[in-house]
mmCIF file of all heavy atoms in Angstrom:
data_model
loop_
_atom_site.group_PDB
_atom_site.id
_atom_site.type_symbol
_atom_site.label_atom_id
_atom_site.label_comp_id
_atom_site.label_asym_id
_atom_site.label_seq_id
_atom_site.Cartn_x
_atom_site.Cartn_y
_atom_site.Cartn_z
ATOM 1 N N ALA A 187 86.487 175.153 75.227
ATOM 2 C CA ALA A 187 87.381 176.296 75.002
ATOM 3 C C ALA A 187 88.749 175.821 74.525
ATOM 4 O O ALA A 187 89.294 174.835 75.031
ATOM 5 C CB ALA A 187 87.537 177.118 76.279
ATOM 6 N N LEU A 188 89.274 176.527 73.551
ATOM 7 C CA LEU A 188 90.619 176.282 73.031
ATOM 8 C C LEU A 188 91.584 177.100 73.887
ATOM 9 O O LEU A 188 91.574 178.322 73.849
ATOM 10 C CB LEU A 188 90.687 176.696 71.559
ATOM 11 C CG LEU A 188 91.962 176.380 70.801
ATOM 12 C CD1 LEU A 188 92.186 174.863 70.721
ATOM 13 C CD2 LEU A 188 91.874 176.957 69.391
ATOM 14 N N LEU A 189 92.436 176.415 74.667
ATOM 15 C CA LEU A 189 93.351 177.090 75.583
ATOM 16 C C LEU A 189 94.691 177.416 74.933
ATOM 17 O O LEU A 189 95.403 178.308 75.389
ATOM 18 C CB LEU A 189 93.584 176.222 76.823
ATOM 19 C CG LEU A 189 92.339 175.831 77.604
ATOM 20 C CD1 LEU A 189 92.697 174.919 78.754
ATOM 21 C CD2 LEU A 189 91.604 177.071 78.085
ATOM 22 N N GLY A 190 95.047 176.697 73.902
ATOM 23 C CA GLY A 190 96.281 176.921 73.166
ATOM 24 C C GLY A 190 96.251 176.103 71.894
ATOM 25 O O GLY A 190 95.648 175.030 71.865
ATOM 26 N N SER A 191 96.876 176.608 70.843
ATOM 27 C CA SER A 191 96.931 175.862 69.591
ATOM 28 C C SER A 191 98.002 176.474 68.708
ATOM 29 O O SER A 191 98.046 177.697 68.552
ATOM 30 C CB SER A 191 95.570 175.887 68.886
ATOM 31 O OG SER A 191 95.576 175.025 67.769
ATOM 32 N N THR A 192 98.866 175.617 68.152
ATOM 33 C CA THR A 192 99.988 176.111 67.364
ATOM 34 C C THR A 192 100.298 175.211 66.183
ATOM 35 O O THR A 192 100.038 174.004 66.221
ATOM 36 C CB THR A 192 101.253 176.253 68.254
ATOM 37 O OG1 THR A 192 102.275 176.906 67.513
ATOM 38 C CG2 THR A 192 101.756 174.909 68.755
ATOM 39 N N TYR A 193 100.830 175.807 65.145
ATOM 40 C CA TYR A 193 101.446 175.071 64.050
ATOM 41 C C TYR A 193 102.899 174.807 64.442
ATOM 42 O O TYR A 193 103.503 175.579 65.194
ATOM 43 C CB TYR A 193 101.497 175.923 62.772
ATOM 44 C CG TYR A 193 100.196 176.179 62.065
ATOM 45 C CD1 TYR A 193 99.585 177.419 62.149
ATOM 46 C CD2 TYR A 193 99.628 175.217 61.244
ATOM 47 C CE1 TYR A 193 98.420 177.699 61.450
ATOM 48 C CE2 TYR A 193 98.458 175.480 60.546
ATOM 49 C CZ TYR A 193 97.859 176.729 60.643
ATOM 50 O OH TYR A 193 96.714 176.996 59.948
ATOM 51 N N ILE A 194 103.498 173.758 63.881
ATOM 52 C CA ILE A 194 104.933 173.511 63.957
ATOM 53 C C ILE A 194 105.335 172.931 62.618
ATOM 54 O O ILE A 194 104.769 171.928 62.177
ATOM 55 C CB ILE A 194 105.301 172.510 65.072
ATOM 56 C CG1 ILE A 194 104.799 172.998 66.424
ATOM 57 C CG2 ILE A 194 106.813 172.284 65.108
ATOM 58 C CD1 ILE A 194 104.925 171.973 67.531
ATOM 59 N N GLY A 195 106.294 173.563 61.955
ATOM 60 C CA GLY A 195 106.730 173.003 60.685
ATOM 61 C C GLY A 195 107.584 173.946 59.884
ATOM 62 O O GLY A 195 107.847 175.078 60.280
ATOM 63 N N GLY A 196 108.014 173.437 58.760
ATOM 64 C CA GLY A 196 108.797 174.202 57.804
ATOM 65 C C GLY A 196 108.049 174.293 56.486
ATOM 66 O O GLY A 196 106.833 174.100 56.429
ATOM 67 N N SER A 197 108.781 174.527 55.411
ATOM 68 C CA SER A 197 108.154 174.771 54.117
ATOM 69 C C SER A 197 107.733 173.499 53.387
ATOM 70 O O SER A 197 107.052 173.574 52.374
ATOM 71 C CB SER A 197 109.101 175.578 53.230
ATOM 72 O OG SER A 197 110.334 174.888 53.070
ATOM 73 N N GLY A 198 108.104 172.330 53.888
ATOM 74 C CA GLY A 198 107.730 171.071 53.258
ATOM 75 C C GLY A 198 106.531 170.430 53.931
ATOM 76 O O GLY A 198 105.611 171.102 54.385
ATOM 77 N N SER A 199 106.594 169.112 54.012
ATOM 78 C CA SER A 199 105.511 168.344 54.621
ATOM 79 C C SER A 199 105.940 167.899 56.018
ATOM 80 O O SER A 199 106.919 167.173 56.176
ATOM 81 C CB SER A 199 105.186 167.126 53.753
ATOM 82 O OG SER A 199 104.111 166.412 54.303
ATOM 83 N N ASP A 200 105.200 168.334 57.016
ATOM 84 C CA ASP A 200 105.478 167.995 58.414
ATOM 85 C C ASP A 200 104.255 167.303 58.996
ATOM 86 O O ASP A 200 103.130 167.729 58.775
ATOM 87 C CB ASP A 200 105.764 169.265 59.224
ATOM 88 C CG ASP A 200 106.850 170.102 58.594
ATOM 89 O OD1 ASP A 200 108.014 169.695 58.657
ATOM 90 O OD2 ASP A 200 106.520 171.168 58.027
ATOM 91 N N GLY A 201 104.498 166.235 59.753
ATOM 92 C CA GLY A 201 103.391 165.554 60.419
ATOM 93 C C GLY A 201 102.832 164.366 59.672
ATOM 94 O O GLY A 201 101.943 163.703 60.180
ATOM 95 N N LEU A 202 103.345 164.089 58.489
ATOM 96 C CA LEU A 202 102.880 162.919 57.741
ATOM 97 C C LEU A 202 104.043 161.954 57.579
ATOM 98 O O LEU A 202 105.116 162.334 57.118
ATOM 99 C CB LEU A 202 102.335 163.309 56.367
ATOM 100 C CG LEU A 202 101.078 164.161 56.386
ATOM 101 C CD1 LEU A 202 100.657 164.500 54.965
ATOM 102 C CD2 LEU A 202 99.950 163.458 57.122
ATOM 103 N N ASN A 203 103.840 160.715 57.969
ATOM 104 C CA ASN A 203 104.868 159.692 57.920
ATOM 105 C C ASN A 203 105.052 159.208 56.489
ATOM 106 O O ASN A 203 104.118 158.732 55.869
ATOM 107 C CB ASN A 203 104.468 158.543 58.847
ATOM 108 C CG ASN A 203 105.484 157.444 58.897
ATOM 109 O OD1 ASN A 203 106.570 157.553 58.348
ATOM 110 N ND2 ASN A 203 105.127 156.373 59.566
ATOM 111 N N GLY A 204 106.269 159.281 55.987
ATOM 112 C CA GLY A 204 106.570 158.816 54.637
ATOM 113 C C GLY A 204 106.823 157.327 54.555
ATOM 114 O O GLY A 204 106.936 156.776 53.475
ATOM 115 N N MET A 205 106.948 156.648 55.689
ATOM 116 C CA MET A 205 107.210 155.205 55.709
ATOM 117 C C MET A 205 105.903 154.482 55.984
ATOM 118 O O MET A 205 105.550 154.219 57.129
ATOM 119 C CB MET A 205 108.257 154.871 56.764
ATOM 120 C CG MET A 205 109.549 155.604 56.505
ATOM 121 S SD MET A 205 110.959 154.867 57.290
ATOM 122 C CE MET A 205 111.046 153.295 56.487
ATOM 123 N N THR A 206 105.163 154.194 54.954
ATOM 124 C CA THR A 206 103.841 153.599 55.133
ATOM 125 C C THR A 206 103.816 152.172 54.611
ATOM 126 O O THR A 206 104.253 151.894 53.500
ATOM 127 C CB THR A 206 102.764 154.429 54.424
ATOM 128 O OG1 THR A 206 103.096 154.526 53.042
ATOM 129 C CG2 THR A 206 102.677 155.821 55.007
ATOM 130 N N ASN A 207 103.321 151.273 55.427
ATOM 131 C CA ASN A 207 103.127 149.882 55.038
ATOM 132 C C ASN A 207 101.680 149.445 55.221
ATOM 133 O O ASN A 207 101.224 148.538 54.562
ATOM 134 C CB ASN A 207 104.033 148.957 55.868
ATOM 135 C CG ASN A 207 105.492 149.172 55.540
ATOM 136 O OD1 ASN A 207 105.856 149.275 54.380
ATOM 137 N ND2 ASN A 207 106.321 149.264 56.561
ATOM 138 N N ASN A 208 100.998 150.089 56.148
ATOM 139 C CA ASN A 208 99.637 149.702 56.484
ATOM 140 C C ASN A 208 98.709 150.904 56.367
ATOM 141 O O ASN A 208 99.152 152.052 56.444
ATOM 142 C CB ASN A 208 99.579 149.159 57.919
ATOM 143 C CG ASN A 208 100.454 147.950 58.100
ATOM 144 O OD1 ASN A 208 100.314 146.963 57.402
ATOM 145 N ND2 ASN A 208 101.402 148.050 59.028
ATOM 146 N N TYR A 209 97.436 150.625 56.244
ATOM 147 C CA TYR A 209 96.437 151.677 56.183
ATOM 148 C C TYR A 209 96.564 152.575 57.409
ATOM 149 O O TYR A 209 96.630 152.115 58.534
ATOM 150 C CB TYR A 209 95.027 151.070 56.123
ATOM 151 C CG TYR A 209 93.942 152.107 56.111
ATOM 152 C CD1 TYR A 209 93.645 152.798 54.940
ATOM 153 C CD2 TYR A 209 93.240 152.417 57.259
ATOM 154 C CE1 TYR A 209 92.657 153.761 54.920
ATOM 155 C CE2 TYR A 209 92.249 153.381 57.255
ATOM 156 C CZ TYR A 209 91.964 154.052 56.075
ATOM 157 O OH TYR A 209 90.990 155.014 56.056
ATOM 158 N N GLY A 210 96.636 153.860 57.196
ATOM 159 C CA GLY A 210 96.706 154.828 58.283
ATOM 160 C C GLY A 210 98.105 155.134 58.782
ATOM 161 O O GLY A 210 98.270 156.013 59.631
ATOM 162 N N ASP A 211 99.128 154.409 58.293
ATOM 163 C CA ASP A 211 100.494 154.653 58.775
ATOM 164 C C ASP A 211 100.952 156.087 58.548
ATOM 165 O O ASP A 211 101.736 156.612 59.328
ATOM 166 C CB ASP A 211 101.499 153.720 58.096
ATOM 167 C CG ASP A 211 101.587 152.357 58.751
ATOM 168 O OD1 ASP A 211 100.947 152.158 59.803
ATOM 169 O OD2 ASP A 211 102.298 151.491 58.214
ATOM 170 N N GLN A 212 100.498 156.717 57.491
ATOM 171 C CA GLN A 212 100.937 158.091 57.233
ATOM 172 C C GLN A 212 100.450 159.066 58.293
ATOM 173 O O GLN A 212 100.979 160.150 58.437
ATOM 174 C CB GLN A 212 100.515 158.566 55.835
ATOM 175 C CG GLN A 212 99.035 158.737 55.637
ATOM 176 C CD GLN A 212 98.316 157.474 55.188
ATOM 177 O OE1 GLN A 212 98.749 156.360 55.437
ATOM 178 N NE2 GLN A 212 97.197 157.655 54.515
ATOM 179 N N PHE A 213 99.464 158.661 59.079
ATOM 180 C CA PHE A 213 98.911 159.521 60.126
ATOM 181 C C PHE A 213 99.388 159.077 61.505
ATOM 182 O O PHE A 213 98.622 158.999 62.447
ATOM 183 C CB PHE A 213 97.381 159.520 60.070
ATOM 184 C CG PHE A 213 96.859 159.899 58.725
ATOM 185 C CD1 PHE A 213 96.083 159.015 58.002
ATOM 186 C CD2 PHE A 213 97.149 161.127 58.167
ATOM 187 C CE1 PHE A 213 95.592 159.360 56.750
ATOM 188 C CE2 PHE A 213 96.673 161.475 56.917
ATOM 189 C CZ PHE A 213 95.892 160.585 56.207
ATOM 190 N N ARG A 214 100.665 158.777 61.605
ATOM 191 C CA ARG A 214 101.238 158.338 62.876
ATOM 192 C C ARG A 214 102.166 159.415 63.415
ATOM 193 O O ARG A 214 102.927 160.032 62.695
ATOM 194 C CB ARG A 214 102.020 157.036 62.693
ATOM 195 C CG ARG A 214 101.227 155.879 62.156
ATOM 196 C CD ARG A 214 100.589 154.983 63.183
ATOM 197 N NE ARG A 214 101.418 154.573 64.264
ATOM 198 C CZ ARG A 214 102.110 153.436 64.315
ATOM 199 N NH1 ARG A 214 102.108 152.605 63.305
ATOM 200 N NH2 ARG A 214 102.799 153.142 65.392
ATOM 201 N N GLY A 215 102.145 159.607 64.669
ATOM 202 C CA GLY A 215 102.953 160.535 65.429
ATOM 203 C C GLY A 215 102.396 160.479 66.831
ATOM 204 O O GLY A 215 101.399 159.799 67.081
ATOM 205 N N ASP A 216 103.036 161.151 67.775
ATOM 206 C CA ASP A 216 102.594 160.963 69.147
ATOM 207 C C ASP A 216 102.878 162.205 69.981
ATOM 208 O O ASP A 216 103.693 163.051 69.606
ATOM 209 C CB ASP A 216 103.317 159.756 69.738
ATOM 210 C CG ASP A 216 102.590 159.108 70.896
ATOM 211 O OD1 ASP A 216 101.454 159.500 71.219
ATOM 212 O OD2 ASP A 216 103.180 158.182 71.489
ATOM 213 N N ILE A 217 102.208 162.284 71.116
ATOM 214 C CA ILE A 217 102.348 163.382 72.063
ATOM 215 C C ILE A 217 102.418 162.798 73.469
ATOM 216 O O ILE A 217 101.798 161.770 73.746
ATOM 217 C CB ILE A 217 101.164 164.369 71.919
ATOM 218 C CG1 ILE A 217 101.383 165.639 72.727
ATOM 219 C CG2 ILE A 217 99.860 163.712 72.244
ATOM 220 C CD1 ILE A 217 100.348 166.730 72.430
ATOM 221 N N GLU A 218 103.191 163.450 74.334
ATOM 222 C CA GLU A 218 103.346 163.006 75.723
ATOM 223 C C GLU A 218 103.535 164.240 76.601
ATOM 224 O O GLU A 218 103.970 165.286 76.118
ATOM 225 C CB GLU A 218 104.564 162.079 75.831
ATOM 226 C CG GLU A 218 104.796 161.486 77.196
ATOM 227 C CD GLU A 218 103.702 160.547 77.645
ATOM 228 O OE1 GLU A 218 103.715 159.366 77.258
ATOM 229 O OE2 GLU A 218 102.813 161.007 78.390
ATOM 230 N N LEU A 219 103.192 164.113 77.864
ATOM 231 C CA LEU A 219 103.355 165.195 78.838
ATOM 232 C C LEU A 219 104.287 164.733 79.947
ATOM 233 O O LEU A 219 104.238 163.574 80.354
ATOM 234 C CB LEU A 219 102.014 165.583 79.459
ATOM 235 C CG LEU A 219 100.882 165.978 78.513
ATOM 236 C CD1 LEU A 219 99.597 166.196 79.307
ATOM 237 C CD2 LEU A 219 101.250 167.216 77.733
#
Side-chain angles (χ1 to χ4, degrees):
L188 186 63
L189 303 177
S191 188
T192 188
Y193 289 105
I194 303 171
S197 58
S199 182
D200 307 288
L202 295 179
N203 181 7
M205 301 201 64
T206 58
N207 293 316
N208 300 304
Y209 178 78
D211 276 354
Q212 68 272 26
F213 305 119
R214 301 269 313 266
D216 204 6
I217 189 171
E218 183 65 82
L219 305 174

